Amino acid sequence: MSLSAEKPGSAAEDLALGAAAVLRDNDMGGWTRASEDLYPHQWSWDTGFIAIGLAHLNVGRAARELLGLFEHQWSNGKVPHIVFNPAAPPHSYFPGAEHWSSAGAFPNAPPTPPYTSALCQPPIHAVAARLVAQVATGDEDESVAQKFLREIYPKLLRWHRYLLTDRDPEGSGLVAIYHPWESGTDNSPRWDAAMANVEVGAMPSYERRDLQHVEDPEERPTGLEYDRYIWLVESIKNARCDEKLLYETHPFLVKDVLASAILVAANEALLEIATMIGAPASERGEVRSWIEQGQRGLSGCYDEVTGLYLDFDLRANQPLRTRTVAGFAPLISGGLSPERLRSLVALLGSETFAGHPKLRKSLPPSTSPSAPGFRPRSYWRGPVWPVITWLLWWSLRRSGEAAAAENLRRVALDQISEEGFAEYFEPFTGEPLGSLRQSWTAAVTLDWLAAEPPYSKRA
Ligand code: 9WN
């Protein structure tokens, strides 16, 4: 975007300046914390979205954001879900570095601090890298972007290969997760049935920190949900993060449609990057096969009853039938028939989701208000998340659904200009909830502001 192109003093300029200020305040010198109080560390998929926003301010800084995260990539290719900030106030976040590192260094983890968690998150990074390079204009930025793509490409390739081997030994094209935190949609009702089967054993007592940073405990997961989260962390630590052992024994093992669809889109971006930097034909062939495999795997997750795509619980050997926004995942991966695309777009705008009559703004809530697990103030159980709206907007635009996409962008920008850069919003009242100056919300705002229609054909 050219911020300078915004009319001085206009609402759009004020919003852009506000978003830039959030990113600046959360800038820790080369990397960006997810938010000041609730999340004082670097998160993996947040970093992807943050880089997309930063690109509109400074292409080199955006590139650094992604490269910085990949400095902590594990030797098996995994990109950790959190890189812990050694300078964060002690005990500001739980489970923090001391909790994860108490298992001793995991065999594949970077041997020296800063420590990381042993989980991962949805692989949005290649999409972000591609967008960062597309924003670059002018000789200087373009040469920064070229160098960046050459540097990040092999790291992205190793990351995707890890997901398509260790997390998909069956070759289904679908990514398995070990913890709801790996989905990025932590306490979504998507995971209720699978989590109900997780029996919590004896473990040391712990103190939650998240409740100190929000006004109402209803905004965060319950005590029982948290016990199960921490029990799963214990199980991963006990297995020393041995992927084969976890696949055989860990009590939570689910194929995640949202992560799988993001991986397909990320592989498309990776293929473009591979072509741009002249990567070997064998690698390009490998990435192409991952795209086909992912689209095939996702097509098998369609559910006639809900009209959505469902996660699959490998432990219980059954699909997880819920009505959440994750069920629209194949909009992100693309390759849908025109009929299926039409039916998904119609469902997204229907009373089951963004067209629900009680909504303050017509934006997709994280869980359908008609689903039994819906709770309007609770984290991923109902609130509207701007970052998810961005993903849907980006996907609709790529699928040629320009009108539906533009509607999302306009309404989402209205919401943020009225209520600020919150992590999420109560869908019926519009109240901002969670962290109120969340980096990725500011970042997607910058990208939306730069994307005035008519849309150019950006990947
Ligand atoms: C656990 C940082 C992260 C996001 C996740 C969101 C929330 C963490 C938490 O915050 O998760 O990873 O402590 O609740 O669910 O999507 O990446 O913004």
Side-chain angles (χ1 to χ4, degrees):
M1 172 179 45
S2 50
L3 285 187
S4 52
E6 302 289 351
K7 286 195 211 79
S10 70
E13 193 200 47
D14 287 351
L15 197 56
L17 291 174
V22 170
L23 289 177
R24 198 176 48 245
D25 294 347
N26 285 330
D27 190 328
M28 301 282 96
W31 67 273
T32 308
R33 65 185 172 200
S35 74
E36 184 180 352
D37 296 328
L38 199 51
Y39 309 119
H41 307 292
Q42 182 172 28
W43 260 262
S44 168
W45 78 324
D46 297 55
T47 296
F49 294 104
I50 290 166
I52 292 168
L54 284 176
H56 298 291
L57 303 172
N58 180 333
V59 169
R61 177 64 188 80
R64 177 92 294 279
E65 189 76 20
L66 281 163
L67 287 168
L69 175 71
F70 277 81
E71 278 166 19
H72 308 282
Q73 186 168 23
W74 289 29
S75 63
N76 59 351
K78 175 161 67 187
V79 176
H81 113 284
I82 303 176
V83 180
F84 292 106
N85 169 15
H91 307 299
S92 49
Y93 181 83
F94 180 83
E98 53 303 322
H99 191 85
W100 281 106
S101 62
S102 63
F106 296 108
N108 294 310
T112 51
Y115 290 113
T116 74
S117 87
L119 304 173
C120 58
Q121 276 188 323
I124 191 71
H125 315 89
V127 171
R130 179 79 189 94
L131 287 176
V132 167
Q134 272 170 333
V135 169
T137 46
D139 289 352
E140 204 179 308
D141 272 0
E142 279 175 22
S143 92
V144 168
Q146 277 305 314
K147 186 167 168 285
F148 160 61
L149 291 182
R150 271 196 297 278
E151 207 173 332
I152 198 135
Y153 167 78
K155 301 172 199 286
L156 290 168
L157 188 67
R158 290 206 305 121
W159 168 216
H160 292 192
R161 203 177 271 143
Y162 160 77
L163 292 170
L164 284 146
T165 53
D166 283 343
R167 298 305 185 100
D168 187 27
E170 319 86 352
S172 67
L174 302 170
V175 175
I177 58 167
Y178 304 142
H179 198 297
W181 288 339
E182 295 204 304
S183 73
T185 64
D186 308 359
N187 75 332
S188 167
R190 297 169 78 186
W191 315 124
D192 286 357
M195 285 297 267
N197 295 332
V198 173
E199 273 182 49
V200 175
M203 61 177 175
S205 64
Y206 64 90
E207 200 182 328
R208 288 176 66 169
R209 302 287 163 180
D210 57 324
L211 297 177
Q212 295 166 357
H213 300 296
V214 292
E215 277 179 18
D216 177 0
E218 175 75 6
E219 292 172 39
R220 298 286 305 173
T222 64
L224 178 57
E225 279 163 356
Y226 231 84
D227 280 352
R228 290 190 172 125
Y229 292 159
I230 302 305
W231 176 247
L232 292 179
V233 169
E234 288 304 302
S235 161
I236 292 166
K237 282 164 61 169
N238 290 338
R240 303 206 67 221
C241 214
D242 176 326
E243 306 274 345
K244 285 201 175 56
L245 188 59
L246 287 171
Y247 224 85
E248 278 162 25
T249 62
H250 187 59
F252 180 94
L253 191 72
V254 178
K255 291 289 184 179
D256 175 333
V257 280
L258 181 62
S260 305
I262 290 177
L263 182 56
V264 171
N267 274 321
E268 284 174 353
L270 189 62
L271 186 57
E272 281 186 47
I273 297 172
T275 308
M276 286 163 75
I277 65 160
S282 58
E283 289 178 1
R284 281 181 278 144
E286 189 180 5
V287 177
R288 220 173 272 120
S289 74
W290 291 341
I291 296 170
E292 284 157 19
Q293 210 175 333
Q295 282 177 339
R296 234 188 346 263
L298 282 158
S299 67
C301 299
Y302 183 67
D303 175 50
E304 298 281 349
V305 177
T306 54
L308 294 166
Y309 289 74
L310 303 183
D311 304 299
F312 192 88
D313 183 349
L314 288 174
R315 289 290 173 248
N317 198 27
Q318 62 183 23
L320 293 166
R321 182 171 288 130
T322 50
R323 284 185 168 83
T324 75
V325 75
F328 294 97
L331 286 177
I332 302 167
S333 45
L336 293 168
S337 68
E339 298 75 41
R340 185 58 57 76
L341 176 61
R342 247 195 322 273
S343 78
L344 279 180
V345 173
L347 184 58
L348 188 64
S350 76
E351 292 205 353
T352 313
F353 282 93
H356 190 278
K358 282 168 70 186
L359 292 183
R360 174 71 189 265
K361 299 265 183 217
S362 177
L363 291 168
S366 43
T367 299
S368 165
S370 55
F374 173 80
R375 292 215 304 270
R377 296 180 68 78
S378 185
Y379 206 36
W380 290 98
R381 290 184 170 272
V384 169
W385 287 68
V387 75
I388 296 293
T389 307
W390 184 93
L391 266 177
L392 293 169
W393 163 78
W394 180 76
S395 308
L396 287 170
R397 204 174 117 170
R398 289 199 330 144
S399 316
E401 296 290 329
E406 176 53 14
N407 198 39
L408 287 184
R409 185 187 81 99
R410 205 177 28 77
V411 181
L413 281 176
D414 275 356
Q415 179 172 62
I416 293 166
S417 38
E418 285 164 27
E419 303 292 350
F421 301 98
E423 189 183 4
Y424 47 95
F425 296 90
E426 211 271 13
F428 299 146
T429 63
E431 182 186 347
L433 296 174
S435 137
L436 299 182
R437 282 166 60 79
Q438 183 81 0
S439 295
W440 67 7
T441 305
V444 298
T445 302
L446 288 174
D447 195 53
W448 272 324
L449 286 170
E452 284 291 332
Y455 294 139
S456 60
K457 273 215 164 26
R458 270 201 325 181

